[in-house]
Amino acid sequence: MLDQVKNSVFYINYYFQGEPFLNPNFLTLIAAAKKRKIYTATSTNAHFIDNKKAEQIVDSGLDRLIISIDGLTQKTYENYRINGKLEKVISGTEALLKAKKKLNSTTPHLIFQFLAVKPNEHEIPAIFELGKKMKIDEVRIKTAQLYDYQKGNPLIPDNEDYSRYKLRSDGTYSLKYHLGNHCWRMWSSSVFTWDGKVVPCCFDKDAQHILGDLTTNSFESIWKHSKYQSFRSAILTNRGQIEICKNCSEGAKVWV
């Protein structure tokens, strides 16, 4: 797959709908991309990072690592990250910071990502304090994509600045932004699933719109195929009729 796209791809997000460090061979994928001079990024819950793994991550050449920390007490953290352990997030982060210092490396760029939801929104000021204290490279607050939001959702923050949805006068909720017939993703990126399927974007979480198969066709032929062109045309004609597009972040303020 990398050899097919190495001349046109400059940035790879190595994650989709799972925890990348569950794959014991994950770092070989990072090294393979770096060999082809491709910038690499991934996202983790940091539950599987100890001192040894942290040094391997730094050695791999990974450029950017998002650490999901969606609560600053165990109670708020596990409210969203079911069965997760906040202490593992902290220890994994500390291991990465230690490894970067030991190996005298500026990478990976470490980001604390805090997904703003109602149970944790009161902790937002404190995440910036923690990031500064631990010397994390960056702290980012992200609004949450929610399902079944129209009649309300217990995860919708009280502060609308932290939400993608707004309360209407009739007590229901709607998206804060207009769903226009456009999407830059259709001409700038694709998502490859673990088994070689090509889907249009990361909002196709269950691979409902398979546009090609890299095990049987080249990416170039898939990218230019009539099936891909038809999907792009549908976006430009009536994006609101495509299910995966109805609650996507295109045009929304994702970062607070």
Side-chain angles (χ1 to χ4, degrees):
M1 293 183 193
L2 287 170
D3 283 334
Q4 287 192 48
V5 301
K6 66 180 181 181
N7 293 326
S8 57
V9 167
F10 61 90
Y11 191 119
I12 291 180
N13 276 321
Y14 263 123
Y15 62 99
F16 187 27
Q17 293 301 309
E19 167 54 46
F21 290 102
L22 284 174
N23 181 345
N25 299 315
F26 176 63
L27 292 177
T28 64
L29 302 178
I30 300 296
K34 296 307 299 179
K35 183 179 178 181
R36 293 163 176 82
K37 297 180 170 39
I38 301 173
Y39 186 97
T40 56
T42 194
S43 179
T44 181
N45 59 32
H47 278 50
F48 305 94
I49 299 175
D50 54 19
N51 290 332
K52 180 180 179 181
K53 178 63 70 174
E55 290 189 17
Q56 292 173 347
I57 291 170
V58 174
D59 275 335
S60 74
L62 178 66
D63 294 289
R64 183 181 183 92
L65 182 58
I66 296 170
I67 300 168
S68 295
I69 179 167
D70 305 315
L72 292 184
T73 65
Q74 179 58 29
K75 182 178 180 180
T76 55
Y77 180 78
E78 67 183 357
N79 183 275
Y80 183 78
R81 296 279 171 178
I82 307 300
N83 295 324
K85 301 294 182 184
L86 179 60
E87 62 184 56
K88 289 187 176 182
V89 182
I90 299 300
S91 65
T93 302
E94 290 174 339
L96 286 163
L97 291 165
K98 179 181 175 183
K100 284 179 65 176
K101 185 175 181 179
K102 178 180 178 180
L103 299 174
N104 193 28
S105 177
T106 58
T107 57
H109 181 80
L110 297 178
I111 301 171
F112 263 167
Q113 180 175 285
F114 193 90
L115 194 66
V117 288
K118 186 172 183 176
N120 70 15
E121 63 180 312
H122 64 285
E123 297 177 339
I124 287 176
I127 186 61
F128 286 98
E129 295 175 9
L130 178 62
K132 184 177 181 180
K133 179 181 178 182
M134 295 184 70
K135 298 183 178 180
I136 293 294
D137 296 308
E138 187 178 351
V139 175
R140 306 187 80 179
I141 310 301
K142 188 176 184 180
T143 58
Q145 180 197 22
L146 304 174
Y147 296 98
D148 302 322
Y149 62 84
Q150 289 88 348
K151 294 182 180 180
N153 186 304
L155 293 176
I156 295 178
D158 291 326
N159 187 338
E160 279 196 3
D161 289 343
Y162 301 143
S163 177
R164 298 185 191 183
Y165 313 96
K166 61 183 178 181
L167 180 63
R168 300 192 293 195
S169 58
D170 63 0
T172 63
Y173 286 82
S174 64
L175 294 169
K176 291 167 68 174
Y177 53 93
H178 175 64
L179 191 70
N181 291 327
H182 53 79
C183 183
W184 62 274
R185 297 172 189 267
M186 293 303 99
W187 288 267
S188 64
S189 62
S190 284
V191 169
F192 298 172
T193 63
W194 66 272
D195 55 353
K197 302 297 189 297
V198 177
V199 297
C201 72
C202 61
F203 284 89
D204 191 2
K205 301 181 190 304
D206 297 316
Q208 297 174 330
H209 301 275
I210 297 174
L211 302 175
D213 188 335
L214 291 168
T215 64
T216 55
N217 297 101
S218 71
F219 178 68
E220 183 177 4
S221 67
I222 293 169
W223 181 255
K224 296 178 179 178
H225 196 273
S226 58
K227 191 171 185 179
Y228 220 131
Q229 302 290 31
S230 294
F231 191 86
R232 292 187 180 106
S233 295
I235 292 284
L236 296 176
T237 304
N238 197 346
R239 178 171 163 233
Q241 293 302 305
I242 303 173
E243 192 64 33
I244 65 170
C245 300
K246 290 181 180 179
N247 191 16
C248 124
S249 63
E250 169 68 7
K253 185 179 179 182
V254 175
W255 308 103
V256 179

